[in-house]
Amino acid sequence: MSFLKLSARHFRQQKYISTVLPCQQKAVLINQETVAEDTATSPVVDLDFTDHKQAFKEKSLWEIVRALTVFRVCSNRTFVSRSAEIFERTQRILVCWGVTIADVRYNIDKLAKANSGTFVLMVMEAIDKVEEANDNAKNIIKMMEGITEKITPYGSYMQIRISAMFTSHLLKSLSLLSDEVREKVIYSSAEYMRTHNPDTLRWLAETPGASGIIPELLSGLILLGEVGQKAVTTDTVLMVDAEYTNMNPALTALAMALSLVCNRTKAVVWNTTQCYLKKSFEALQWEFNFAEKNNLHYGAKLVRGAYMVAEENEAKSQGNPCPVHDGIQATHNSYNSTANWLLQKIRDNSNQGRQIRFVLASHNQDSIKQAVERMRSYGIPSEDRKVILAQVYGMCDHITYSLGQKGYPVYKSVAVGTISESLPYLSRRSHENSFLIANSRQERQLLNSELKYRIMG
């Protein structure tokens, strides 16, 4: 049987290929952590990321071929520069994946067999019309209900975009308010989510630049509160995604308001810190102190970041200082030192009863090894799941499955959505991260080795 026929046969035999477009598996959410050429010295730990047989044993031959093809395509700058046009034309001949809860459950079971949990990411773009917010909130709630009907040892985790429930205009306007006013908004918003009493935010009408956003803020808080309540009742962790610096202050404020409502008995709401930003550590410290001051359980997700090129271009066009660290090594240092700071907080908090948990979302082997080594030296057992390791579905499987086999709590971020929902998201991420895909040499080498092994034995 020829190789092409064999591949086609495996394609037909797949019960379920993926909940995302192939390019999404490589180009979406890869961010800066894909860079394998970290110049920092790796600590010595018993983690082997070079065994292709173990790393890809759960993948079919078709999935191996597809992964290699996607790497090649997404490393092509001509393809990436025309990605929006290509995706738009392709939509006419591709059938929408029609993602269902059954699809997601299948994926959760599949990853569980590889000793990995699942972060469910519903692909939702930032909205410009308030009318879109209600449907987005309903879909998030429906997904939470669906994925928690089937209990797994890995728990229920969802990544959500607050910008899917509030317009960009509101988020930018809220971000322009002073720190003092925005902190007051946090407490008032939490009270409104609990009581639905509009008087709690009436004071905002006297704040310059804020009076016009009150109606939308109130309606959005109703939806956000419903999402938070469903997370509490279904025991689902909500990880709030960070976005652009011109709306991140508002996203953080709304995430903290939701944490005031949901994080009283456990860490339900976890905000995201983008460590490629110069002020990321300062922002994380503020959030940590806010939780401590209000006697809240604390959760965080650490990423390097996904909007570097856009942030640099925006700063340059406005004549502002660039908010992103100067050079990749400065970002590595920021990421690793922030992770270590949180690990120290977990160590120091071991007997105080308040939960402190975080996700080390990274494809960078050095960052992972450093964190694992420090967990050991600080006496933080991996089975406590206070520190969770995560990679994107379809990316760095040699890292994920190696960690799972060693008993570390590791998860895959799985983006779900139809083709039409994914098009703008895919195009933006492929543009942003194409040069990082080109650098991920080790995974491509391991995939090639596995392909040769499957064919030739």
Side-chain angles (χ1 to χ4, degrees):
M1 183 181 293
S2 71
F3 172 69
L4 289 177
K5 288 183 179 179
L6 182 63
S7 297
R9 178 182 175 186
H10 276 266
F11 178 87
R12 290 192 299 270
Q13 289 177 344
Q14 286 294 303
K15 177 183 177 182
Y16 174 66
I17 296 175
S18 169
T19 57
V20 293
L21 289 171
C23 279
Q24 190 173 0
Q25 296 177 354
K26 303 299 176 184
V28 175
L29 294 173
I30 292 172
N31 312 335
Q32 286 185 295
E33 53 265 37
T34 308
V35 178
E37 293 73 26
D38 190 347
T39 58
T41 302
S42 298
V44 178
V45 293
D46 62 341
L47 290 176
D48 180 13
F49 297 135
T50 63
D51 187 342
H52 64 87
K53 295 179 186 178
Q54 289 297 314
F56 304 121
K57 68 179 183 179
E58 298 296 334
K59 284 186 175 291
S60 67
L61 176 61
W62 160 247
E63 288 172 319
I64 298 296
V65 172
R66 182 181 61 192
L68 282 167
T69 302
V70 169
F71 263 125
R72 181 176 295 275
V73 170
C74 291
S75 297
N76 185 299
R77 293 189 179 278
T78 301
F79 172 86
V80 172
S81 65
R82 300 183 59 195
S83 58
E85 175 188 348
I86 292 171
F87 289 145
E88 180 66 30
R89 292 187 179 185
T90 306
Q91 185 184 16
R92 300 173 186 173
I93 58 174
L94 289 176
V95 178
C96 287
W97 289 105
V99 175
T100 65
I101 290 174
D103 294 334
V104 178
R105 286 181 186 160
Y106 176 85
N107 221 7
I108 290 172
D109 289 342
K110 182 178 179 181
L111 287 169
K113 292 177 182 177
N115 302 318
S116 171
T118 303
F119 291 166
V120 177
L121 166 63
M122 297 184 69
V123 180
M124 293 179 173
E125 285 296 296
I127 62 171
D128 293 317
K129 297 180 180 179
V130 177
E131 294 75 21
E132 301 173 47
N134 191 53
D135 287 340
N136 286 340
K138 286 182 179 178
N139 288 334
I140 291 171
I141 289 172
K142 184 178 179 181
M143 182 62 71
M144 267 193 281
E145 292 173 337
I147 64 177
T148 54
E149 285 180 3
K150 190 171 187 179
I151 303 299
T152 72
Y154 299 97
S156 176
Y157 293 79
M158 282 195 69
Q159 295 173 240
I160 65 168
R161 297 187 72 185
I162 286 180
S163 61
M165 287 173 275
F166 298 86
T167 65
S168 299
H169 171 72
L170 179 142
L171 295 173
K172 291 175 182 177
S173 298
L174 187 55
S175 295
L176 290 173
L177 301 178
S178 69
D179 293 343
E180 293 76 16
V181 171
R182 207 162 41 248
E183 184 166 354
K184 190 176 178 181
V185 169
I186 293 174
Y187 291 104
S188 296
S189 295
E191 183 65 20
Y192 181 73
M193 282 188 275
R194 294 190 192 99
T195 66
H196 295 181
N197 181 357
D199 289 339
T200 58
L201 278 157
R202 203 174 299 279
W203 62 269
L204 197 57
E206 306 300 322
T207 304
S211 60
I213 67 173
I214 294 177
E216 184 193 337
L217 180 60
L218 295 177
S219 63
L221 287 172
I222 293 282
L223 300 176
L224 187 61
E226 290 174 354
V227 168
Q229 183 58 41
K230 181 58 66 173
V232 171
T233 57
T234 58
D235 198 19
T236 299
V237 169
L238 295 178
M239 293 174 288
V240 177
D241 282 347
E243 300 183 38
Y244 295 100
T245 53
N246 64 0
M247 61 175 66
N248 277 341
L251 297 176
T252 294
L254 293 168
M256 292 302 99
L258 191 61
S259 73
L260 283 171
V261 177
C262 301
N263 287 18
R264 295 292 178 182
T265 57
K266 66 182 299 185
V268 173
V269 179
W270 304 16
N271 199 32
T272 296
T273 295
Q274 300 163 307
C275 293
Y276 70 171
L277 296 176
K278 294 174 181 176
K279 294 185 177 181
S280 60
F281 183 61
E282 177 185 336
L284 181 132
Q285 282 185 308
W286 182 88
E287 292 174 21
F288 185 91
N289 292 334
F290 178 87
E292 191 171 48
K293 179 175 67 175
N294 290 281
N295 196 30
L296 303 175
H297 297 283
Y298 179 76
K301 184 176 75 165
L302 299 190
V303 302
R304 278 173 166 80
Y307 300 92
M308 180 179 67
V309 175
E311 294 286 9
E312 290 177 338
N313 291 340
E314 176 68 15
K316 186 177 181 179
S317 67
Q318 299 295 323
N320 296 325
C322 182
V324 178
H325 280 299
D326 300 324
I328 186 63
Q329 191 56 48
T331 296
H332 288 324
N333 294 341
S334 170
Y335 189 89
N336 294 334
S337 62
T338 302
N340 188 45
W341 187 84
L342 284 172
L343 287 168
Q344 290 173 341
K345 292 297 182 182
I346 291 175
R347 176 197 61 190
D348 298 341
N349 183 68
S350 59
N351 297 316
Q352 296 181 23
R354 192 167 69 94
Q355 285 185 358
I356 301 175
R357 301 179 63 192
F358 76 95
V359 176
L360 190 88
S362 179
H363 302 98
N364 186 285
Q365 295 181 20
D366 287 325
S367 293
I368 293 168
K369 288 182 177 180
Q370 286 183 36
V372 168
E373 181 62 31
R374 283 165 179 160
M375 286 171 65
R376 292 180 180 180
S377 65
Y378 294 164
I380 303 172
S382 60
E383 58 268 22
D384 286 357
R385 296 184 178 271
K386 294 176 180 176
V387 182
I388 294 174
L389 308 167
Q391 293 80 45
V392 173
Y393 182 67
M395 193 72 200
C396 291
D397 291 338
H398 63 295
I399 293 178
T400 306
Y401 298 146
S402 296
L403 289 168
Q405 290 155 19
K406 290 289 185 179
Y408 293 100
V410 64
Y411 288 68
K412 283 293 194 185
S413 174
V414 180
V416 297
T418 64
I419 290 176
S420 60
E421 291 168 339
S422 301
L423 284 175
Y425 194 76
L426 292 171
S427 177
R428 185 171 66 248
R429 288 307 192 280
S430 61
H431 246 297
E432 191 77 34
N433 300 302
S434 59
F435 74 98
L436 298 171
I437 300 171
N439 287 334
S440 50
R441 292 194 297 262
Q442 182 182 5
E443 187 173 8
R444 282 181 290 172
Q445 290 169 354
L446 291 172
L447 284 165
N448 276 315
S449 297
E450 180 65 13
L451 181 61
K452 292 177 183 177
Y453 173 75
R454 297 281 183 98
I455 296 174
M456 303 177 65

